[in-house]
Amino acid sequence: MPVAHPEPQDARVIAHIDMDCFYVQVEQRKQPELRGKPAAVIQYNSWKGGALIAVGYEARAFGVKRSMRGDEAKKVCPDIQLIQVPVARDKSDLTLYRDAGSEVVAVLARKGRCERASIDEVYLDITDVATSMLLENPPEVLESVDEEVLKSHILGVNKDDRDQKQMVKEWLCRNDADNHDKLLACGAIIVAKLRKEVLTVTEFTCSAGIAHNKMLAKLASGMHKPAQQTVVPSASINELLASLPVKKMKQLGGKLGASLESDLGVHNVGDLLQFSEEKLQNHYGVNTGTWLWNVARGMSGEEVKGRILPKSQGCGKTFPGPRALRTIESVEHWLGALCEELSDRVESDLKQNKRVAQTLTLHARAYKVDDSESQKKFPSKSCPLRYGSAKLHEDARKLFESALREYMGIYGTDKQAVAGGNNWRIIGLSVAATNILATPQGVTSITKFFSTSNPPSSSSLECDRNIQESISFSTPSVIIQDVRPPRWIWITRWIWIKNWDNQVHQMRRLSI
């Protein structure tokens, strides 16, 4: 359930950067002849031409929607170019788009604290740089304002017959504006410049929302696209939320949003203003009630977390309809493919970013053949992560079998019993590496120390050998390769100290 974060006392300037039809843009950069033509990116399969996952604006003009299949899109727009997502290990490979997103983040991170929310979304806290601009070179003293800034949409600015750009300039350069609006004006100038830099460096356009918190910035970024930006002054918050459907608000699209509609008759976020904080707390608990009360007023204290690297690495595959997995062997096959991909990604992360993943988690979606009414969820399982695709595959298989026994209500280790008489079907399968931590700062210097000609003492090696034997998982293979033992033994010591108690507990559970 949502948790309320206290709002900071000082005003912040937060931007949400949303790439425009990003997958299509990546393909257009790769194939420039596609620019200006109706195009869409698909995850191909034999059923009706595959699923559309991104639709370019030129194709949207013909009525193509992301909910369509490839064959349907061709009927609506015969000239549409359908580009297939790259495939590796018999599944979609998003590496091309993930790497392109990293290019964008590298540009944005120059100006503030950056949080990568997804492949094509970034939050940016530019409070410090906006504050500096306000002190040193405020908008009201600027001799000219860049054309891209003047294209901004300022919520609450009256739209009459006057020149819209002139109205935006007047709002940005007001002498009588309060500090909050002046900071947002600085933010609009900074973000417009950043968006131009992104276009110059990467050839990608993006849209942005600029507000005093993450929640409002995200709402605003999608209001005017493509290649535009929207500013949310404090005075326009009530107008923005008054007619916003609750299900459009993050964290209100599921059961909580449905409950608000059925139990309280709330259809728009602004409808929440009629309820006291106490009443909302009585219905939904203290934390969620306070969060709802804050949301109705556009208040959110959630911070931009300063994370440009993903906090987890995961890969999955869906098996809809007749393609559902029904045997242990088929599950093992796909676990092998998924674990190979995961192994490549965590080892690449270790090499490039000096981060170690510590937990392997398996998720699945399933149903029972003889119990279509069953609402029981397939349990997720975790264990300490061992580097190397073979070890990942072995542990993922054990996690799946453990989860399957629990799901089917079967206890014991007999293979036939675990299979459950083929009364189950798997329609989704994924593995994830979580709890990723940066290696200590001293790793580089210690590595250099161990690379010298001075050999370690026999007592030190014996101690390291005892530690190594007691650890229940192996050290990352990428560290082991082409280096002397002391280099990876040091990393092993560090990981062991962090995880020992938890590992013993979880590995024992796996063997039950």
Side-chain angles (χ1 to χ4, degrees), residues 31-46:
Q31 305 174 63
E33 65 273 15
L34 294 176
R35 295 188 190 277
K37 297 179 180 179
V41 177
I42 62 168
Q43 285 183 305
Y44 182 77
N45 58 54
S46 57

Side-chain angles (χ1 to χ4, degrees), residues 28 121 177 234 274 286 422:
Q28 287 174 331
E121 287 182 278
S234 299
Q274 63 186 294
V286 174
N422 289 343

Side-chain angles (χ1 to χ4, degrees), residues 295-341:
V295 162
R297 291 155 179 78
M299 297 163 54
S300 173
E302 185 181 359
E303 293 186 355
V304 175
K305 296 181 176 63
R307 182 186 69 239
I308 61 175
L309 296 172
K311 58 184 178 182
S312 64
Q313 302 274 8
C315 47
K317 175 77 174 175
T318 58
F319 310 94
R323 294 194 291 140
L325 306 182
R326 59 188 67 198
T327 65
I328 291 289
E329 290 73 23
S330 62
V331 171
E332 288 185 356
H333 166 76
W334 280 107
L335 283 177
L338 294 174
C339 288
E340 279 186 21
E341 179 182 346

Side-chain angles (χ1 to χ4, degrees), residues 10-38:
D10 297 327
R12 297 178 297 164
V13 184
I14 309 296
H16 179 257
I17 310 297
D18 189 11
M19 307 306 296
D20 300 319
C21 298
F22 189 49
Y23 288 20
V24 174
Q25 283 202 83
V26 173
E27 295 294 346
Q28 287 174 331
R29 185 178 70 169
K30 185 179 173 185
Q31 305 174 63
E33 65 273 15
L34 294 176
R35 295 188 190 277
K37 297 179 180 179

Side-chain angles (χ1 to χ4, degrees), residues 317 319 323-340 362-366 378 392-404 415 418-419 422 424-431:
K317 175 77 174 175
F319 310 94
R323 294 194 291 140
L325 306 182
R326 59 188 67 198
T327 65
I328 291 289
E329 290 73 23
S330 62
V331 171
E332 288 185 356
H333 166 76
W334 280 107
L335 283 177
L338 294 174
C339 288
E340 279 186 21
L362 177 135
H363 302 284
R365 290 187 295 118
F378 195 91
L392 285 173
H393 187 196
E394 177 186 353
D395 292 343
R397 177 178 55 79
K398 290 180 180 179
L399 291 173
F400 176 80
E401 291 179 354
S402 173
L404 182 60
K415 277 259 183 183
V418 171
N422 289 343
W424 48 268
R425 297 289 185 270
I426 300 297
I427 56 176
L429 193 62
S430 67
V431 290

